[in-house]
Amino acid sequence: MGARDDAAGEVVPARPPSGGRSRRQQGENLWGYLFLAPWFLGLFALTLGPMLASLYFSFTDFDLLTAPTWVGLENYVRMFTEDPRYMQSLKVTFIYVALSVPLELAFALLVAVLLNRGIRALGTYRAIYYLPSLLGGSVAIAIMWRQVFGGDGLFNQFLALLGWETAPSWISTPGTALYTLVLLRVWQFGSPMVIFLAGLRQIPQELYDAAAVDGAGKVSRFLRITIPLLTPIIFFNLVLQLIRAFQAFTPAFIVSGGSGGPSDSTLFYTLYLYQEGFANFRMGYAAAMAWVLLLIIGTFTAANFLMSRYWVHYEDDGR
């Protein structure tokens, strides 16, 4: 039933009683909270709870077997003043990140540009090139990598065919071991390549046609059209791969047998954290290392966002 509005002469729907609407909204909110309950349970029990516990343990001497003892900032002071292996793990990790991330992104962009040239069976090629990203972080691939670059591995057999019969074991030599892991990282280019390919397909062909009419060559069109319009995609891939590179663990653990050798040349930060926590039972020290790693990743990510305003171009920002 409707009620007549005397002023306008129109019939407007009668409003339900406020008490009934309130009860219906409460019922809808209850169902919403019930559906969100598993997520809240995981957030507090599996994420926030362990994080707060880790923060507390980072200020304690804790060996997993006895009650933790409060030591204040001792763990943080020790890692920067008394632990040369910690500084070595920082050095190895920074070198790995500085080399692997730019090379991986450059290779991914190169393959994406080649695949964007309208070749046949693009879906098949895209699946083949994406496959290393699915398998690259697995234990099986790390074992295969150790066999390929070992003393009698496939790579040295290939070099022997070219005349170099005394090639070293690349993963057992301190000067080359880290670079084999960088190569493994670059080989996992599939994920950023797929994202680059999606970005390339969003660039209007009319821009290339207009540039070609004005006499721009392929290199000029790539540098002045493709790269500027891809900067949001490059920025996204850069942040994502930077975080993943800092968290790399499995390749170094498998290739070095969990030691970080030879001569700590593959002692990644995460691998040393694992050794301290679960091999040496210094969980308080490992927790402090974990929080420093979180600060490092957060600092690099924040720096990238601050610097992005100078080189990342969006269509709607007028730059």
Side-chain angles (χ1 to χ4, degrees), residues 86-101 178 182 242 244-248 264-272 293 296-297:
Y86 175 80
M87 301 307 294
Q88 174 66 14
S89 71
L90 271 180
K91 175 185 174 183
V92 169
T93 303
F94 279 127
I95 293 175
Y96 175 77
V97 172
L99 291 178
S100 65
V101 173
L178 179 60
V182 171
L242 194 70
R244 289 185 58 192
F246 272 114
Q247 296 174 330
D264 288 343
S265 59
T266 59
L267 186 64
F268 282 9
Y269 194 101
T270 53
L271 178 57
Y272 186 48
L293 178 60
I296 292 173
I297 294 175

Side-chain angles (χ1 to χ4, degrees), residues 12-232:
V12 295
R15 294 181 180 179
S18 59
R21 185 174 60 181
S22 178
R23 283 194 295 272
R24 187 172 66 251
Q25 287 181 343
Q26 289 177 356
E28 292 175 350
N29 291 339
L30 178 62
W31 279 109
Y33 289 130
L34 284 176
F35 280 111
L36 286 173
W39 184 84
F40 279 118
L41 182 64
L43 174 66
F44 289 107
L46 302 178
T47 303
L48 291 181
M51 285 184 68
L52 293 177
S54 171
L55 181 61
Y56 167 71
F57 289 140
S58 71
F59 296 103
T60 67
D61 182 8
F62 182 41
D63 60 2
L64 288 175
L65 302 176
T66 59
T69 304
W70 182 267
V71 295
L73 295 175
E74 183 177 317
N75 289 327
Y76 293 93
V77 174
R78 177 192 161 207
M79 70 176 65
F80 289 106
T81 59
E82 303 175 10
D83 190 353
R85 291 199 79 203
Y86 175 80
M87 301 307 294
Q88 174 66 14
S89 71
L90 271 180
K91 175 185 174 183
V92 169
T93 303
F94 279 127
I95 293 175
Y96 175 77
V97 172
L99 291 178
S100 65
V101 173
L103 289 175
E104 180 188 17
L105 293 182
F107 194 64
L109 179 58
L110 173 64
V111 176
V113 170
L114 294 177
L115 291 180
N116 193 44
R117 304 181 67 178
I119 63 175
R120 293 182 178 179
L122 174 61
T124 302
Y125 286 108
R126 190 166 50 197
I128 292 174
Y129 288 128
Y130 187 70
L131 194 59
S133 289
L134 299 178
L135 303 176
S138 67
V139 174
I141 294 300
I143 293 175
M144 184 197 75
W145 214 253
R146 187 173 60 186
Q147 299 300 324
V148 169
F149 289 98
D152 299 325
L154 291 176
F155 188 65
N156 278 357
Q157 293 178 21
F158 174 73
L159 294 178
L161 294 177
L162 300 178
W164 190 5
E165 298 182 353
T166 58
S169 174
W170 304 96
I171 62 171
S172 301
T173 304
T176 58
L178 179 60
Y179 302 109
T180 62
L181 299 182
V182 171
L183 193 59
L184 174 58
R185 180 76 192 182
V186 175
W187 183 64
Q188 304 170 40
F189 65 91
S191 177
M193 181 271 295
V194 170
I195 299 174
F196 277 138
L197 189 58
L200 287 170
R201 289 185 169 272
Q202 299 301 316
I203 299 177
Q205 181 62 35
E206 293 80 5
L207 296 178
Y208 294 109
D209 295 340
V213 171
D214 290 339
K218 292 182 178 180
V219 175
S220 180
R221 279 179 279 171
F222 179 76
L223 295 178
R224 296 180 181 276
I225 297 177
T226 304
I227 293 296
L229 292 180
L230 268 186
T231 49

